[in-house]
Amino acid sequence: LISPICCDLVAYCVQTSAIRHVRSWSNIPFITVPLSRAHGKSFAHRSELKHAKRIVVKLGSAVVTRGDECGLALGRLASIVEQVSVLQNQGREMMLVTSGAVAFGKQRLRHEILLSQSVRQALHSGQNQLKEMAIPVLEARACAAAGQSGLMALYEAMFTQYSICAAQILVTNLDFHDEQKRRNLNGTLHELLRMNIVPIINTNDAVVPPAEPNSDLQGVNVISVKDNDSLAARLAVEMKTDLLIVLSDVEGLFDSPPGSDDAKLIDIFYPGDQQSVTFGTKSRVGMGGMEAKVKAALWALQGGTSVVIANGTHPKVSGHVITDIVEGKKVGTFFSEVKPAGPTVEQQGEMARSGGRMLATLEPEQRAEIIHHLADLLTDQRDEILLANKKDMEEAEGRLAAPLLKRLSLSTSKLNSLAIGLRQIASSSQDSVGRVLRRTRIAKNLELEQVTVPIGVLLVIFESRPDCLPQVAALAIASGNGLLLKGGKEATHSNRILHLLTQEALSIHGVKEAVQLVNTREEVEDLCRLDKMIDLIIPRGSSQLVRDIQKAAKGIPVMGHSEGICHMYVDSEASVDKVTRLVRDSKCEYPAACNALETLLIHRDLLRTPLFDQIIDMLRVEQVKIHAGPKFASYLTFSPSEVKSLRTEYGDLELCIEVVDNVQEAIDHIHKYGSSHTDVIVTENEKTAEFFLQHVDSACVFWNASTRFSDGYRFGLGAEVGISTSRIHARGPVGLEGLLTTKWLLRGQDHVVSDFSEHGSLKYLHENLPIPQRNVN
């Protein structure tokens, strides 16, 4: 059944002529809610789509038809069938409204016409003339009649691979207008769904009359079934479905024709919106364009069915577009009757961009004044902040683990420390944006400067810790960057008031919108797709969060560390008094932090010495669970549990101990199993210590100091936006300097490159010029 589709290489074209026109959204009439619909309202938010039980998937002609319009796109169809099958096997009730019969039939009929040419004619015409043999224009209804059985056989063969049975139903407009037929259709569909069968519905194009002008939707409670868009909408309402997915060859609904310079994808469309939407031409194949899809979608929406219009042809997303939509991911245009009070995240990104550019043009003293004002607000509004934090703590009680609760908690001392850190940032910001790094005289009266500039728009995603918000905001303000903040829902109340105070501080110089808090139900993965609005993503949270963001970010750089596997090497010449203090502080002071100690490397000569016994006794007192590395376990008769992996970040009161023979073996172990975060040597031998400091390739390398010093505040940066273990741009705790990039400024007087050619009149000088010192109080 499938082989004729694969083998037939004869191309065909669909010859159509249509009057193409553009209509604005204001011309589309709104639809009266069908009286037969009474099963409730549509979903208000994308995140609720995962609860959809009964789903209709509509496949447009452009989705099922190949790019050369010669038959069906088998790869896309197979992928769609797989996704529908996955959802069906999850216990959902799936229905498919499909186009494709005309395309399938047209291919088969063209094939038959070519084969029916006389052998004599074929032999005498020559191969080239045979290819150019005229094919008569095929009538669409005849093509549909010839192609419907093959199309259905193809679907049956594909669904059988997933142990799913499919059933065919052909309908016309009369089947919905005739009450008895409508009840029969309804009963048939319900019975099929009850038996776990996927109904595949199509308009009966073999008998359907030609399309008529839009006379429906004019205050009437029915919608005419004249194409598969209207069929899918009518079916969704009749069957009281939760979700209608309309797949086309465009990403969704745009505010102007796709492909135009200013066209923007509308993420969520509200029927009551006054924004103007301009429709372009219809699809290359099929009967309906985007205008028809929007009309059908609004009719279904007002009947209580949620609708998403998305691209079913894009090779990078079509393989998971249906399942992504059902999972609530940001795909296509979601139709909703509920409009949130605040702006969309796309609008917030644009506000952060424009606000950040205004922020960058302020004088350094003005940016410092904003940060000082924010520091004052943290202490002046302390009671309100702590009251909001108390609400978060009460709601999180019993839901969050103790270490996370500690991170969530704010106190007077924390707010005072925050204010001190912000004032440090304000002081260091005086010479940040616009600082000249290099000056070069290219030629006479042609001078080049390299100056620092903001990166652009930052997206900072953080968990639990609301104190991150003013820290990160202050760094963004000092560096002139726009900022999008996405905090955890466990800190909703705290984040809200801290953001309001930040915007109050920004308002003193009219740049309130530069810092935005994302309050909508945006998933992290969806935010990572905003590559046209975000220049850098900085995750602050668990290693799993960082890994998820690094995986989800497509085209946006991510600055962070995926793991914090920190090591401490205790050398044979280590001080007994120092070791236990350093190990206790590194492991026990805050075990959930990314800079906490995870692996302790012990020199072999220290085994069974008083120093080693003191370390073990201290760990037992602190209730630290010990895991033995392979070499350490081999020295012990009764060892602790042997570690499953030497590359483990515990994030709790657990520690791996391993034995090494010398400092070089310790370095090799760190390079093999570490995460390039923070690594420490404890020794009194300066030569050994310097060897360790120079040879360990990590962001932070310490001698006789706790791993917990790896922190922007403790480094004197005022605060940090995160810790980076990458080897480009910023590394280690990232403060103000890490949020800047550079640009080149060239000032000349009618200089052209041709003057510097071999026979030109000018020569390059490339003289280094002194860098002017800025006046900083």
Side-chain angles (χ1 to χ4, degrees):
L1 292 172
I2 301 177
S3 58
I5 304 173
C6 303
C7 298
D8 187 1
L9 301 178
V10 181
Y12 71 88
C13 301
V14 178
Q15 303 291 334
T16 59
S17 61
I19 299 174
R20 296 184 171 183
H21 60 282
V22 175
R23 292 181 61 188
S24 66
W25 167 250
S26 58
N27 292 334
I28 298 180
F30 288 98
I31 306 100
T32 305
V33 180
L35 298 177
S36 59
R37 183 69 166 180
H39 77 285
K41 292 185 177 181
S42 59
F43 294 124
H45 306 284
R46 281 186 185 269
S47 58
E48 298 171 346
L49 295 181
K50 61 175 66 76
H51 303 302
K53 170 74 173 175
R54 183 172 292 177
I55 302 170
V56 173
V57 178
K58 184 266 176 178
L59 309 179
S61 299
V63 175
V64 300
T65 305
R66 291 209 308 253
D68 60 2
E69 302 180 13
C70 184
L72 303 181
L74 293 179
R76 284 202 295 267
L77 277 180
S79 175
I80 288 167
V81 167
E82 180 180 14
Q83 294 174 75
V84 171
S85 299
V86 166
L87 296 173
Q88 181 79 6
N89 288 327
Q90 289 176 357
R92 304 180 198 269
E93 297 175 341
M94 305 298 298
M95 290 180 280
L96 211 58
V97 175
T98 180
S99 302
V102 173
F104 199 128
K106 186 167 300 229
Q107 182 186 20
R108 294 180 66 180
L109 290 179
R110 286 170 60 89
H111 184 75
E112 290 300 322
I113 290 171
L114 285 174
L115 291 179
S116 67
Q117 302 290 342
S118 69
V119 175
R120 186 185 304 275
Q121 181 183 359
L123 290 174
H124 287 286
S125 62
Q127 188 65 26
N128 292 333
Q129 293 181 22
L130 180 62
K131 290 181 179 179
E132 298 173 0
M133 204 176 288
I135 303 294
V137 176
L138 300 174
E139 206 276 328
R141 287 195 289 271
C143 292
Q148 187 64 45
S149 60
L151 177 66
M152 191 60 203
L154 179 61
Y155 274 121
E156 286 181 344
M158 289 180 171
F159 274 112
T160 300
Q161 303 303 311
Y162 302 95
S163 302
I164 291 176
C165 181
Q168 175 183 247
I169 297 179
L170 296 177
V171 297
T172 65
N173 202 28
L174 295 176
D175 296 319
F176 289 96
H177 283 285
D178 185 283
E179 185 64 25
Q180 184 60 49
K181 289 183 177 181
R182 192 163 62 87
R183 282 199 300 267
N184 293 342
L185 174 62
N186 194 292
T188 301
L189 288 170
H190 276 95
E191 185 63 16
L192 291 173
L193 294 176
R194 188 188 67 81
M195 293 188 292
N196 201 35
I197 295 173
V198 175
I200 300 178
I201 305 103
N202 196 357
T203 51
N204 192 349
D205 293 328
V207 299
V208 72
E212 298 176 358
N214 272 326
S215 58
D216 58 308
L217 309 183
Q218 302 284 353
V220 185
N221 292 328
V222 295
I223 182 172
S224 298
V225 176
K226 55 180 177 291
D227 56 40
N228 277 341
D229 293 317
S230 55
L231 168 61
R234 181 63 194 254
L235 183 72
V237 172
E238 285 291 330
M239 293 299 295
K240 299 180 172 59
T241 56
D242 302 307
L243 173 62
L244 167 60
I245 299 174
V246 180
L247 296 184
S248 180
D249 57 351
V250 292
E251 280 69 23
L253 177 62
F254 288 77
D255 57 359
S256 56
S260 58
D261 291 338
D262 298 325
K264 294 181 181 178
L265 178 66
I266 300 174
D267 171 42
I268 305 176
F269 186 80
Y270 311 96
D273 260 354
Q274 297 303 310
Q275 64 177 310
S276 176
V277 177
T278 304
F279 294 99
T281 57
K282 63 185 285 294
S283 169
R284 59 182 172 81
V285 290
M287 296 180 63
M290 183 54 69
E291 187 173 4
K293 291 173 177 56
V294 171
K295 287 182 177 181
L298 288 172
W299 195 86
L301 179 69
Q302 295 189 24
T305 296
S306 295
V307 184
V308 174
I309 297 178
N311 192 334
T313 63
H314 196 293
K316 291 185 178 180
V317 298
S318 59
H320 46 80
V321 60
I322 298 173
T323 50
D324 279 356
I325 290 171
V326 176
E327 288 173 10
K329 294 181 180 178
K330 202 166 189 176
V331 179
T333 299
F334 172 61
F335 286 72
S336 174
E337 292 187 301
V338 179
K339 184 174 183 178
T344 66
V345 70
E346 289 83 5
Q347 292 169 332
Q348 287 186 295
E350 292 175 356
M351 288 189 287
R353 173 78 69 190
S354 59
R357 285 172 176 163
M358 292 176 60
L359 185 64
T361 62
L362 297 179
E363 294 297 323
E365 296 78 12
Q366 293 174 306
R367 289 192 294 271
E369 186 182 354
I370 293 172
I371 300 170
H372 276 298
H373 188 48
L374 177 57
D376 293 339
L377 289 172
L378 291 179
T379 52
D380 294 345
Q381 304 294 326
R382 177 178 58 247
D383 293 341
E384 289 81 357
I385 297 171
L386 295 180
L387 181 62
N389 184 246
K390 182 181 178 182
K391 292 181 182 178
D392 288 326
M393 293 292 292
E394 290 173 350
E395 293 175 6
E397 194 70 40
R399 296 191 298 108
L400 291 183
L404 294 178
L405 278 174
K406 184 178 179 182
R407 294 172 67 180
L408 178 62
S409 174
L410 292 176
S411 62
T412 300
S413 60
K414 268 190 179 183
L415 292 176
N416 289 336
S417 297
L418 268 176
I420 293 171
L422 263 57
R423 293 187 177 100
Q424 289 179 352
I425 294 172
S427 299
S428 62
S429 70
Q430 298 288 322
D431 190 26
S432 55
V433 181
R435 178 162 52 94
V436 179
L437 301 179
R438 178 185 302 178
R439 292 181 67 222
T440 305
R441 178 176 287 119
I442 304 296
K444 184 179 179 181
N445 295 324
L446 184 63
E447 293 186 3
L448 178 70
E449 283 185 347
Q450 184 185 24
V451 299
T452 57
V453 293
I455 289 175
V457 175
L458 313 176
L459 168 62
V460 179
I461 302 171
F462 57 100
E463 296 176 324
S464 296
R465 291 179 53 182
D467 51 324
C468 284
L469 195 152
Q471 288 178 335
V472 172
L475 288 169
I477 293 166
S479 57
N481 285 288
L483 179 62
L484 285 174
L485 291 158
K486 174 66 173 175
K489 59 183 179 181
E490 66 278 359
T492 298
H493 302 293
S494 305
N495 289 337
R496 184 180 296 118
I497 188 170
L498 290 171
H499 176 246
L500 288 173
L501 295 177
T502 302
Q503 289 200 314
E504 181 178 338
L506 288 163
S507 297
I508 65 175
H509 287 297
V511 287
K512 176 182 177 180
E513 294 182 342
V515 177
Q516 299 286 326
L517 179 64
V518 179
N519 287 316
T520 55
R521 300 190 182 194
E522 302 292 333
E523 298 294 334
V524 168
E525 186 174 341
D526 294 329
L527 292 172
C528 291
R529 294 175 180 172
L530 302 177
D531 57 312
K532 294 182 180 179
M533 300 179 182
I534 297 168
D535 299 297
L536 180 65
I537 301 175
I538 305 174
R540 292 192 59 167
S542 66
S543 58
Q544 186 60 50
L545 171 71
V546 179
R547 283 193 296 269
D548 290 344
I549 291 173
Q550 289 173 331
K551 182 179 178 181
K554 307 294 185 196
I556 308 177
V558 178
M559 185 165 63
H561 62 280
S562 57
E563 294 174 304
I565 305 175
C566 303
H567 293 75
M568 180 179 287
Y569 166 57
V570 182
D571 185 54
S572 59
E573 298 180 66
S575 166
V576 175
D577 296 332
K578 294 177 182 177
V579 172
T580 52
R581 276 173 47 82
L582 292 173
V583 174
R584 179 189 290 110
D585 190 77
S586 297
K587 178 73 259 185
C588 307
E589 197 266 342
Y590 190 5
C594 63
N595 56 13
L597 177 64
E598 303 294 6
T599 299
L600 183 65
L601 301 176
I602 305 286
H603 193 286
R604 182 183 57 186
D605 294 346
L606 296 179
L607 292 177
R608 301 185 180 90
T609 65
L611 185 150
F612 179 76
D613 292 340
Q614 285 184 24
I615 295 174
I616 299 300
D617 290 342
M618 180 274 295
L619 292 174
R620 285 173 178 164
V621 170
E622 297 290 343
Q623 298 182 333
V624 177
K625 182 179 180 180
I626 298 174
H627 302 276
K631 289 186 67 174
F632 180 42
S634 67
Y635 284 97
L636 305 174
T637 305
F638 299 100
S639 68
S641 60
E642 186 170 342
V643 70
K644 295 180 180 179
S645 170
L646 290 169
R647 193 180 285 110
T648 301
E649 182 180 14
Y650 298 102
D652 205 345
L653 288 174
E654 297 184 58
L655 181 69
C656 172
I657 297 180
E658 181 58 311
V659 175
V660 293
D661 291 340
N662 50 54
V663 66
Q664 184 60 58
E665 189 173 322
I667 293 171
D668 292 341
H669 180 103
I670 290 169
H671 287 164
K672 184 174 182 179
Y673 299 109
S675 61
S676 301
H677 192 295
T678 302
D679 299 292
V680 175
I681 182 172
V682 184
T683 184
E684 295 304 302
N685 187 313
E686 183 176 352
K687 184 177 180 181
T688 303
E690 288 300 326
F691 183 84
F692 184 90
L693 293 174
Q694 297 302 319
H695 286 80
V696 171
D697 185 19
S698 295
C700 300
V701 189
F702 301 162
W703 172 24
N704 288 349
S706 168
T707 60
R708 296 278 290 119
F709 278 104
S710 182
D711 176 83
Y713 177 75
R714 296 176 185 124
F715 277 15
L717 304 178
E720 65 183 40
V721 292
I723 294 181
S724 172
T725 55
S726 62
R727 286 170 172 78
I728 57 174
H729 187 48
R731 200 173 183 206
V734 180
L736 177 57
E737 295 295 323
L739 300 181
L740 297 171
T741 184
T742 64
K743 72 177 179 182
W744 297 90
L745 305 177
L746 183 64
R747 298 178 176 91
Q749 293 183 4
D750 195 32
H751 287 82
V752 293
V753 171
S754 59
D755 287 343
F756 294 86
S757 64
E758 184 178 354
H759 303 291
S761 59
L762 297 177
K763 300 293 181 185
Y764 289 112
L765 300 177
H766 291 152
E767 296 176 359
N768 291 328
L769 298 175
I771 297 174
Q773 299 298 312
R774 296 179 66 170
N775 233 343
V776 180
N777 293 327

